[in-house]
């Protein structure tokens, strides 16, 4: 698909509109000016499914694509990822590109406020309220984000499912200042629990819904759908214990991938079949649930039961981002 004519048509439709400059800035922030086209292919093979995709932007770092244009990293998870994880993904981050986009977005907010006859310097307001610069917070972003869990799908009681998110930081001091300010503004209502000399913040009372938790430590932001997920990561920090990288299914699935990647994904063969429970729960509370024929649900269940181990990766080339994934059928 060639994206240039589509974006050109949108710009043409905006001509004469007093808010055209807002759209042009939104386009630069999210799409960039270098995005040309993308291709996607899927192949049904004897032992599974394989997909390939490519986004052509001349290898530029503008737009949201640039947020993930990072240096390649080893195609293996760090030791903080437990060996029994059913799902794992990692994405390289470009902190400089993210900072640039945020700066452009703030300028857009200020321009929109000016149209309303108001002045709103977000960076100055942030510094006045928090006591430190927003730039210090953004510049402390690291170069990777990880997501992993058992693969248990979310449901009505816990939409997040079983999930842990870890954002690497180059410096965690600004983020700790942000949390301390949140504690101060809450009047003491937001108090941390101590675990292995680290502050773990638990949200929710545990009776009326899920209890997501957060910890900022060891140059990481650790977020879990439940407190135990955060504690698992804390217990593994600095420990040279076998993790997902030593899991036999993981090693077999990623054995054919490049040694260096800019994103990485894995899903155990035990995960896909469990998605049916989440789908059935969602349909129970959806107006369209009764319209789905039982035969379609049985076919979907059979398909998910057929899906086995999945692995994926991406790498940047001189012309753009190439990605490939494969899902094996269960024997």
């Amino acid at each position: 698909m060639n994206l240039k004519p589509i974006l050109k048509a949108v710009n043409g439709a905006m001509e004469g509109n007093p808010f055209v400059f807002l759209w042009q800035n939104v386009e630069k922030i999210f799409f960039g000016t270098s995005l040309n086209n993308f291709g996607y292919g899927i192949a049904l093979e004897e032992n599974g499914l394989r997909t390939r995709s490519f986004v052509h932007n001349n290898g530029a770092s503008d737009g949201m694509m640039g947020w993930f244009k990072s240096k390649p990293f080893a195609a293996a998870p760090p030791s903080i990822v437990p060996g029994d994880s059913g799902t794992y993904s990692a994405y390289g981050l470009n902190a400089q590109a993210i900072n640039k986009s945020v700066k452009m977005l703030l300028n857009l907010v200020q321009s929109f406020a000016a149209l309303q006859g108001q002045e709103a310097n977000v960076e100055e307001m942030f510094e006045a309220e928090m006591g430190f610069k927003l730039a210090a917070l953004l510049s402390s972003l690291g170069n990777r984000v990880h997501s992993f869990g058992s693969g248990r799908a979310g449901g009505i009681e816990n939409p997040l499912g079983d999930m842990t998110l870890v954002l690497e930081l180059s410096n965690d001091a600004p983020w700790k200042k942000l949390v301390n300010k949140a504690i101060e503004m809450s009047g003491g209502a937001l108090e941390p629990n101590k675990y292995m000399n680290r502050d773990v913040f638990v949200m929710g009372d545990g009776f009326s819904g899920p209890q997501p938790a957060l910890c900022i430590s060891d140059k990481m932001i650790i977020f879990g759908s439940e407190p135990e997920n955060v504690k698992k990561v804390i217990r593994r920090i600095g420990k040279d214990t076998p993790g997902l990288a030593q899991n036999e299914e993981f090693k077999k699935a990623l054995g054919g991938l490049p040694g260096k990647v800019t994103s990485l994904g894995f899903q155990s063969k035990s995960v896909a079949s469990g998605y049916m429970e989440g789908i059935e729960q969602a349909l129970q509370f959806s107006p369209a649930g009764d319209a789905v024929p039982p035969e379609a649900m049985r076919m979907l269940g059979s398909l998910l039961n057929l899906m086995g181990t999945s692995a994926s990766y991406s790498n940047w080339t001189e012309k753009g981002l190439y990605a490939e994934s494969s899902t094996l059928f269960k024997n």
Side-chain angles (χ1 to χ4, degrees):
M1 177 178 286
N2 191 349
L3 298 172
K4 285 291 187 183
I6 298 175
L7 295 174
K8 185 178 180 180
V10 174
N11 277 306
M14 292 290 292
E15 284 185 5
N17 190 309
F19 293 99
V20 63
F21 83 96
L22 292 177
W23 159 251
Q24 290 172 345
N25 279 280
V26 167
E27 181 184 9
K28 290 179 182 177
I29 294 169
F30 294 101
F31 296 99
T33 59
S34 304
L35 190 59
N36 295 315
N37 52 63
F38 76 88
Y40 180 85
I42 181 169
L44 176 60
E45 300 176 343
E46 184 177 353
N47 62 342
L49 298 172
R50 184 177 297 276
T51 67
R52 293 184 175 92
S53 63
F54 183 74
V55 181
H56 189 295
N57 71 341
N58 289 314
S61 300
D62 56 344
M64 289 186 66
M65 286 287 296
W67 297 4
F68 302 98
K69 187 183 180 185
S70 65
K71 293 181 179 179
F73 54 85
S79 60
I80 58 171
V81 183
D84 60 354
S85 297
T87 62
Y88 172 72
S89 63
Y91 296 90
L93 296 178
N94 184 337
Q96 186 176 1
I98 295 173
N99 291 341
K100 183 178 179 180
S101 293
V102 171
K103 183 70 174 179
M104 292 172 65
L105 185 60
L106 294 178
N107 289 337
L108 180 61
V109 171
Q110 290 168 194
S111 298
F112 185 78
L115 285 177
Q116 309 299 315
Q118 303 173 357
E119 292 187 7
N121 190 313
V122 180
E123 291 182 278
E124 290 182 359
M125 293 168 59
F126 182 92
E127 185 177 1
E129 184 68 27
M130 298 296 174
F132 63 95
K133 295 181 181 294
L134 179 60
L137 196 71
L138 296 173
S139 63
S140 65
L141 293 175
N143 55 16
R144 263 192 300 177
V145 58
H146 310 264
S147 177
F148 49 92
S150 67
R152 186 179 73 245
I156 302 302
E157 295 183 355
N158 185 5
L160 295 175
D162 179 33
M163 178 269 292
T164 304
L165 189 70
V166 177
L167 173 63
E168 295 183 7
L169 302 172
S170 60
N171 178 14
D172 58 19
W175 295 88
K176 288 181 177 179
K177 288 182 180 179
L178 183 66
V179 169
N180 289 334
K181 189 65 177 181
I183 295 174
E184 179 184 328
M185 294 173 68
S186 72
L190 182 63
E191 286 291 340
N193 299 316
K194 284 291 184 181
Y195 184 77
M196 297 183 69
N197 296 320
R198 294 171 176 86
D199 292 335
V200 177
F201 296 86
V202 180
M203 293 155 269
D205 55 19
F207 297 99
S208 57
Q211 278 190 292
L214 176 75
C215 176
I216 300 174
S217 181
D218 300 87
K219 293 185 178 180
M220 293 184 292
I221 297 176
I222 309 166
F223 175 83
S225 56
E226 52 190 49
E228 180 58 26
N229 288 6
V230 174
K231 293 177 181 179
K232 281 183 182 179
V233 175
I234 292 175
R235 289 196 293 267
R236 298 182 67 87
I237 292 175
K239 302 288 180 62
D240 189 20
T241 54
L244 184 61
Q246 300 303 316
N247 180 293
E248 290 302 322
E249 184 183 5
F250 177 86
K251 289 194 293 184
K252 183 177 179 181
L254 277 74
L257 301 189
K260 296 279 188 177
V261 297
T262 54
S263 78
L264 181 67
F266 164 76
Q267 180 174 286
S268 171
K269 60 185 177 183
S270 63
V271 172
S273 58
Y275 289 152
M276 274 305 296
E277 182 179 349
I279 295 172
E280 289 171 349
Q281 284 190 21
L283 290 175
Q284 286 178 5
F285 293 87
S286 170
D290 294 335
V292 180
E295 294 80 6
M297 293 297 292
R298 284 196 291 268
M299 288 179 62
L300 179 59
S302 298
L303 178 62
L304 291 175
N305 282 323
L306 185 64
M307 297 294 102
T309 307
S310 297
S312 62
Y313 79 95
S314 70
N315 265 323
W316 278 84
T317 72
E318 292 182 356
K319 295 298 183 181
L321 183 67
Y322 174 80
E324 185 173 337
S325 71
S326 63
T327 300
L328 299 177
F329 293 143
K330 292 178 181 176
N331 294 329

